[in-house]
Amino acid sequence: MTKQERIDNMMRLSGTDVRKCMKCGKCSGRCPAFKDMDIKPHQFVSMLGQGKIDQLLESKAIWNCLACMACVERCPRGVAPAAVVEAVRDTVVRAQGANGLKAEDIPPIVDEFIPQQLLVSAYRKYNK
Ligand code: SF4
Ligand code: SF4
């Protein structure tokens, strides 16, 4: 796969139009994980638009994003920075091969109070 194909694939995975970004930084201003992210939400959008995917793929921030969607709600241009972060994370996870979360690895009762949504989210996050 060529680099351009990888860029196109990541843009398609994100499902958001990074070209609409006006670089206002409001998404990063609202992000609760901002301090922990080596690449900030607005930079994910900007760097994908510039095709700087190698830096994104090495970013530690993909594991710091809380998927809270505050950046998406804040964006005045309808861009979804969280979707870009997720697209990068999915690309990294897929490249690692079949190491996703398996149902048989989860004990019958993890915790009686654990929300079912958490497990569904974990499957979604780690099995793409
Ligand atoms: S979804 Fe991720 S990048 Fe967006 S505001 Fe929440 S923690 Fe930050
Ligand atoms: S809030 Fe939207 S327009 Fe502003 S920097 Fe973030 S993605 Fe770009």
Side-chain angles (χ1 to χ4, degrees), residues 27 30-34 37 41 64-72 81-82 85:
C27 50
R30 183 60 66 87
C31 177
F34 180 85
M37 296 176 84
N64 296 125
C65 172
L66 305 167
C68 67
M69 304 296 162
C71 53
V72 180
V85 175

Side-chain angles (χ1 to χ4, degrees), residues 22-40:
M22 60 180 186
K23 306 188 192 309
C24 65
K26 289 181 177 174
C27 50
S28 291
R30 183 60 66 87
C31 177
F34 180 85
K35 286 182 183 166
D36 297 323
M37 296 176 84
D38 53 356
I39 296 178
K40 312 303 182 189

Side-chain angles (χ1 to χ4, degrees), residues 4-128:
Q4 188 57 51
E5 286 171 335
R6 292 168 68 214
I7 294 167
D8 293 344
N9 195 43
M10 226 175 277
M11 287 198 183
R12 184 186 55 76
L13 263 180
S14 77
T16 196
D17 188 352
V18 296
R19 294 167 300 183
K20 287 184 180 173
C21 174
M22 60 180 186
K23 306 188 192 309
C24 65
K26 289 181 177 174
C27 50
S28 291
R30 183 60 66 87
C31 177
F34 180 85
K35 286 182 183 166
D36 297 323
M37 296 176 84
D38 53 356
I39 296 178
K40 312 303 182 189
H42 72 286
Q43 293 174 316
F44 267 85
V45 174
S46 171
M47 289 170 72
L48 179 57
Q50 294 170 47
K52 295 179 179 175
I53 58 169
D54 293 332
Q55 287 166 262
L56 291 179
L57 290 168
E58 289 172 7
S59 166
K60 301 285 181 288
I62 56 175
W63 311 113
N64 296 125
C65 172
L66 305 167
C68 67
M69 304 296 162
C71 53
V72 180
E73 287 175 18
R74 188 68 187 90
C75 180
R77 300 281 291 171
V79 184
V84 176
V85 175
E86 185 171 10
V88 176
R89 187 174 59 232
D90 288 347
T91 302
V92 170
V93 171
R94 285 177 184 182
Q96 289 171 343
N99 64 349
L101 188 66
K102 298 189 186 103
E104 55 268 30
D105 293 338
I106 300 173
I109 298 178
V110 179
D111 182 325
E112 61 182 303
F113 299 113
I114 201 166
Q116 195 171 13
Q117 187 182 12
L118 185 149
L119 289 175
V120 173
S121 298
Y123 275 116
R124 183 166 174 265
K125 184 171 178 180
Y126 296 113
N127 282 319
K128 287 186 177 176

